[in-house]
Amino acid sequence: MTDSRFQPDDWKIIETQFNPERGRDSESIFALGNGMMGQRANFEETYSGDTLQGTYVAGIYYPDKTMVGWWKNGYPEYFAKVPNAPSWTGIRVTVDGEELDLATCEVKSFRRELDMRRGVLTRTFTAVMPSGRVAEVTAVRFLSMSEPERAAIKYSVRLSGGSGTAVIIPWLNANVHNEDANYEEKFWENESAETDGIKAVVVASTRKTAFTVATAMVNSFTLNGKPSGDGAVMDKTALKAGAILTTEYSDGDTIEVCKYVAVLSSFNHPDEGLAAKAMASAAGAAEKGFDAMLMAHTHEWEKKWEHGDIVIKGDIAAQQGIRFNIFQLNQTYTGEDPRLNIGPKGFTGEKYGGSTYWDTEAFVFPFYLSTADTHVARNLLLYRYKHLQKAIENAQKLGIGGGAALYPMVTMNGEECHNEWEITFEEIHRNGAIAYAIFNYIRHTGDQDYLAEYGLEVLIAISRFWARRCNWSQEKNQYVILGVTGPNEYENNVNNNWYTNTLARWTLRYTVDSLAWLKSESSIKYNSVLARTGLDPECELNLWLEIINNIYLPVHYDLGVFLQQDGFMDKVQQTVVDLDPAERPLNQHWSWDRILRSVFIKQADVLQGIYFFEDEFDEETIKRNFDFYEPRCVHESSLSASIHAILAARLHDTDRAYKLYLRTARLDLDDYNREVKDGLHITSMAGTWLAIVEGFGGMRVCSDRVCFNPVIPDAWDSYSFIIRYRNNPLRVEVNSSSVTVINLSDTVIPLAVYGNRTETAPGEAKKFERS
């Protein structure tokens, strides 16, 4: 087991000590979401210690004006931020005039438990108040997966040490701020609160973007299990609403409140009548009751785990890590709304603004492609398709027209909103990741219709960008791409980044091949694509073919490796073992100038390209590049270790693959990068899944079949996972001696295990000896 402050458990994350210094960390770790909204694990009762209140609503954003660069031509004017939405978790408790506050009480016991199987957060503690009164609290919380605009809290407090008067106040608060606001301004305006004596609601609208969020609640109270809410008084101010229950208590009495919450936004509903609709929804939740809501919620989680669990035997640290990551992925994005995408922090913090990055296509997309129904991955592609015109406008802002598209590095609505020039203008490889996702989707699902209806429009626009972004070099007598930043962001403004140039060539070739396929399949659909895009096949495709055949890809022939970019060998050639551990991570100890001049790599760059296009390289080539670049990588991007783990497993270096896997699997649980307080690394969590399924499991789609080449770490007795191929589920079970593939579908599935081509009938389990 790794050195973790959380208890080892297959299905739970358990914290057994109250540690104020790690409070923000735990708020991230124990965060909940349901695809439509999310909530950091803030305490219900008042807490005057250090905390980051975090309530987030999907699709809602604020265009926070950038601090620098907005006056430059083509530079984004804002960085999109997901606003901290009106807070709904609060339940204030006072006992004989003293407030229950763990920052001022003596905490005798404390336990916080995240049940990942059921999606339920439970917290219990015993606190001695300054007067000597003892409060024993149990709080249970969930955000409904079956009704994603609803949530519920059951909060009980047992009081001992005397008798007296207790006041319980469930409240809502629209007066919230973001910590990361560039100009310390509020993102909300027109906040208001209202109540009808039973229900309460707070309403707020974002400035500039005019999104409205209505947050409503209904509460039920009991004293020692008997209804005790008749005396509750509803109260409100301009920004807050609360239900005030004042009750006499005797020694040992237990007071309980069930708080039913509805969060509705104008992203999904008309503005008019939104407050009334939210109150009606909260009332409907209360009528259904806590237990019935919880049962429906846990049923949805059962279905997700049934199709997406990974089971590891013999290594509880690895098991807990992968389930934590799968859990967070599933509660961040459900795939039911093509207007939504995935932010690097999901619903767990403010960092990165909650916007969409290239992480989605490069890392997260395969998880949903293989664990959910086909429409989920399709919706992720449609998100980009619907933003195609914005991507064309983004390219125009940089002076590249003619229907060329540059998808944004960071976005909420299709506009670029990242404010660092070396990323905004130069990290253009994100275009290639989007093209690759289209290819990946079609080979996994067989959904060729997507290519004709949507995909080729995107591919053509991206190919036009590559054709205009590269230029002919008379010195090299080849096409080059200058002034870019690759995935390794510890290098900026380089020429001929191998990964970028390789992606450009591949995209052009895939687009040309796809057009040829469609022309042979359906002249009607082919001509429709030409009409929609204005493509001139003879002129444009001839140029693309010329670039494909003549693009420059830097290579060091003596070492037999692809060069990350021109001039990479001019750097002082060191490896990570040469670094003083006290100077790690580099981005927290070195100047940016020193980092840029060093040879050290933030994350997979050349190796990212080899991962994507593995079929184009023999094993010796992969090994030479891996052995050269991996020792130079400091893995200071959360996205890095998973790609290295996959390639290490591909090379049968299982020990190194396991160490890299464990790092990515427990990145947040063990806080390797010392930044979990800012939120979890949601998109890199998908890399953990990739490390098992594509790394140890060796899963690939090979032309017309799904292929497996499994290895198993020495630390594991066995492991198993489920993937969907053409929407048909397969279970793969691996132990030290054999591999078993079980067809869970009603369709014959072609497959290959260790190169042995075969097929499996519905319900059939095929066993193979490990090679």
Side-chain angles (χ1 to χ4, degrees), residues 116-129:
M116 297 180 289
R117 190 195 296 266
R118 300 167 64 236
V120 176
L121 177 62
T122 302
R123 185 169 57 99
T124 60
F125 64 86
T126 300
V128 180
M129 304 179 75

Side-chain angles (χ1 to χ4, degrees), residues 18-25 47 50:
F18 175 58
N19 187 345
E21 290 75 26
R22 303 295 298 274
R24 289 198 182 207
D25 300 356
Y47 183 61
D50 183 43

Side-chain angles (χ1 to χ4, degrees), residues 78 176 195 219 258 308 319 329-330 372 432 437 475 477 587 599 625 686 694 701 745 755 769:
Y78 68 90
V176 291
T195 176
N219 306 282
C258 284
Q319 178 67 88
L329 286 162
N330 278 322
E475 180 177 334
N477 202 35
N587 58 19
V599 76
N625 281 276
E694 295 189 5
V701 175
S745 77
E769 297 301 312

Side-chain angles (χ1 to χ4, degrees), residues 305-311 323 708 719-725 728-734 739-745 749 751 753 760 764-766 768:
W305 286 116
E306 180 183 353
H307 298 294
D309 191 19
I310 290 179
V311 179
R323 281 197 174 128
F708 302 97
Y719 67 97
S720 65
F721 57 86
I722 298 174
I723 62 104
R724 287 173 178 260
Y725 174 66
N728 300 304
L730 286 167
R731 181 191 300 278
V732 180
E733 299 175 350
V734 183
V739 178
T740 302
V741 181
I742 305 165
N743 186 345
L744 303 176
S745 77
I749 301 177
L751 66 132
V753 178
T760 176
E764 182 183 12
K766 280 206 168 184
F768 305 83

Side-chain angles (χ1 to χ4, degrees), residues 368-387:
Y368 297 104
L369 184 60
S370 292
T371 64
D373 186 82
T374 298
H375 79 276
V376 173
R378 203 174 204 262
N379 278 342
L380 281 173
L381 294 183
L382 285 173
Y383 176 88
R384 296 296 193 180
Y385 174 78
K386 291 177 183 294
H387 288 168

